Amino acid sequence: MARAHNFNAGPAILPVDVVKETAEAVIDFNGTGMGLMEVSHRSKEFDAVMLEAQKDLLTIMNLSPDEYDVLFLGGGASMQFLMVPYNFMHTQADYILTGVWAKKAYKEGKFFGKANVAATSEDTNFNYLPKSFNFAPDADFVHITTNNTIYGTEWKSLPDTGNVPLVADMSSDFLGMNFDYSKCSLIYAGAQKNVGPSGVTVVVIKKSWLEEKGKKDIPTMMNYKTHTDNGSMFNTPPCLPVFAVGRTFKWIMRNGGVAAIQANNEKKAKVIYDVIDAYPDFYKGAVKNAEDRSLMNITWNLNTPELESKFISEAKALNMIGLKGHRSVGGVRASVYNACPIESAQALAKFMEEFYKNNK
Ligand SMILES: *Cc1c(COP(=O)(O)O)cnc(C)c1O
């Protein structure tokens, strides 16, 4: 299969195996004589897909099924911006504002109570991660965005929030950074950055938090309990995306788990950051402090927008796709998610060297 060097920010590259296995299942699912899109979600074959994906994810995250539930929901990560406070904000919650996505979550929080800004880096358009927090001791939860897709910053560990439950939007570094996931009471991730196609959002939720603090008097579909009580099959789940996500979990397990994925991500990112650091007057890393740099989304500028356009179009001619920075910040962005092979990072680094020599 001829594959592009795919640096798309999302939907994004998936492991070749996952693409192939999903393509096969679309045509004939488990020898049933029916395609994956044509079978009942209540069939025993699909039920097994759902149960296995849930079980594998908890294994990968080193979480106990006695303590956590896994849900596969529709509505994107954006729906979680509102479902989290709908279920859990009784009076106030703390938000760590490190980018556009974090701000969108905060905006939804304000519909349900007092949303506090525990820390922000908006003063310099989110080009660093704040180092201290102003947490309210009796907040209902703290919300963090672990990787800031647009700006290229990523937390390397989760903050200590004491007794206050931590909620993490891990959409763009899901299973790419070996966090201590047990620090979180709720984790959500739109699948399309790191683990599957668009159309499904993974939610990992601590059972005791939901039992003790989840609001009871909210509409059915918005209530996490509806979904945990029904094994994420209260209504028809996004069957095809769930299948693909399940195959990605298998791929992660075959490749040594999150620690091995992270080590590989570190290698890939280094290949590109090394070129940025070698020519700092030419490639201007967008993130202020090296320790805040993302392993997933690598962002930089060139000296003029014209030079950036030239860079992006010459790269495209070499089959390197998706390098244009987000429309809100411009510049260049290479998204090197879990499934992006090191060969693609190396090809990009080589091109960056050549482009420097020809345009310095
Ligand atoms: C892409 C992204 C989202 C939005 O995801 P949707 O599934 O499109 O709603 C939210 N948070 C982060 C960190 C993202 O990268």
Side-chain angles (χ1 to χ4, degrees):
M1 213 163 40
R3 300 275 283 173
H5 293 300
N6 183 347
F7 299 105
N8 282 325
I13 188 165
L14 290 170
V16 188
D17 291 354
V18 172
V19 175
K20 284 186 177 162
E21 287 161 356
T22 307
E24 280 164 21
V26 164
I27 296 178
D28 185 5
F29 175 47
N30 271 2
T32 55
M34 294 174 278
L36 176 58
M37 296 186 289
E38 306 168 289
V39 298
S40 168
H41 60 293
R42 308 278 176 209
S43 66
K44 73 173 188 329
E45 289 86 2
F46 186 78
D47 200 42
V49 168
M50 175 61 90
L51 289 173
E52 203 159 328
Q54 290 168 327
K55 177 170 145 274
D56 286 347
L57 180 60
L58 293 177
T59 304
I60 290 170
M61 297 176 90
N62 203 15
L63 297 172
S64 161
D66 297 333
E67 288 175 56
Y68 288 86
D69 272 321
V70 175
L71 303 175
F72 294 103
L73 303 179
S78 300
M79 181 79 100
Q80 296 309 307
F81 297 164
L82 79 97
M83 272 184 85
V84 167
Y86 215 150
N87 283 264
F88 292 109
M89 206 201 279
H90 297 272
T91 45
Q92 58 173 327
D94 286 344
Y95 284 82
I96 299 169
L97 301 189
T98 49
V100 160
W101 296 118
K103 273 184 75 177
K104 286 189 175 177
Y106 167 68
K107 178 170 176 246
E108 298 308 294
K110 286 199 268 188
F111 283 103
F112 298 93
K114 190 166 164 279
N116 310 312
V117 178
T120 177
S121 52
E122 194 167 15
D123 56 339
T124 53
N125 200 27
F126 304 115
N127 70 349
Y128 69 100
L129 294 174
K131 295 293 172 281
S132 61
F133 309 101
N134 187 10
F135 290 135
D138 47 1
D140 293 313
F141 59 84
V142 173
H143 182 280
I144 191 169
T145 310
T146 50
N147 183 72
N148 300 284
T149 328
I150 295 173
Y151 309 91
T153 58
E154 183 179 25
W155 297 97
K156 304 300 175 319
S157 62
L158 298 169
D160 200 353
T161 56
N163 290 328
V164 178
L166 180 62
V167 174
D169 174 0
M170 296 196 179
S171 292
S172 55
D173 65 351
F174 193 45
L175 310 181
M177 181 67 74
N178 199 15
F179 292 118
D180 177 358
Y181 297 107
S182 70
K183 279 181 124 176
C184 296
S185 294
L186 192 148
I187 293 163
Y188 62 92
Q192 70 273 19
K193 309 283 167 59
N194 256 313
V195 293
S198 61
V200 67
T201 303
V202 184
V203 177
V204 181
I205 185 168
K206 195 171 202 168
K207 294 179 186 197
S208 59
W209 191 38
L210 183 56
E211 283 305 325
E212 286 157 27
K213 299 286 173 156
K215 287 187 217 165
K216 308 286 183 267
D217 52 345
I218 61 176
T220 313
M221 276 296 285
M222 286 293 106
N223 194 334
Y224 286 118
K225 193 144 187 333
T226 302
H227 302 287
T228 59
D229 282 351
N230 289 282
S232 202
M233 295 239 240
F234 170 72
N235 66 328
T236 321
C239 297
L240 178 65
V242 168
F243 178 89
V245 168
R247 300 320 298 173
T248 305
F249 295 161
K250 293 284 185 209
W251 175 83
I252 290 173
M253 290 161 84
R254 279 201 301 285
N255 283 280
V258 182
I261 298 285
Q262 181 184 333
N264 195 43
N265 287 340
E266 282 165 357
K267 266 193 226 152
K268 283 186 298 193
K270 184 173 187 307
V271 167
I272 299 169
Y273 284 123
D274 278 353
V275 185
I276 293 174
D277 291 339
Y279 313 113
D281 296 330
F282 190 78
Y283 294 122
K284 307 197 148 137
V287 176
K288 197 159 73 179
N289 310 315
E291 72 266 23
D292 295 342
R293 284 170 163 179
S294 171
L295 300 181
M296 303 270 85
N297 309 96
I298 301 173
T299 51
W300 68 93
N301 289 87
L302 284 86
N303 281 317
T304 64
E306 292 70 33
L307 200 56
E308 287 168 348
S309 296
K310 187 170 184 232
F311 179 92
I312 290 160
S313 66
E314 286 185 22
K316 196 167 179 192
L318 295 170
N319 208 17
M320 297 183 214
I321 310 301
L323 288 167
K324 201 168 163 25
H326 189 269
R327 58 191 186 280
S328 64
V329 291
V332 182
R333 169 174 57 176
S335 299
V336 286
Y337 295 125
N338 297 345
C340 176
I342 190 150
E343 289 76 16
S344 290
Q346 286 161 340
L348 176 58
K350 182 161 170 272
F351 167 68
M352 289 170 75
E353 292 274 359
E354 280 158 18
F355 190 85
Y356 166 76
K357 285 189 194 107
N358 296 333
N359 294 276
K360 68 180 175 197

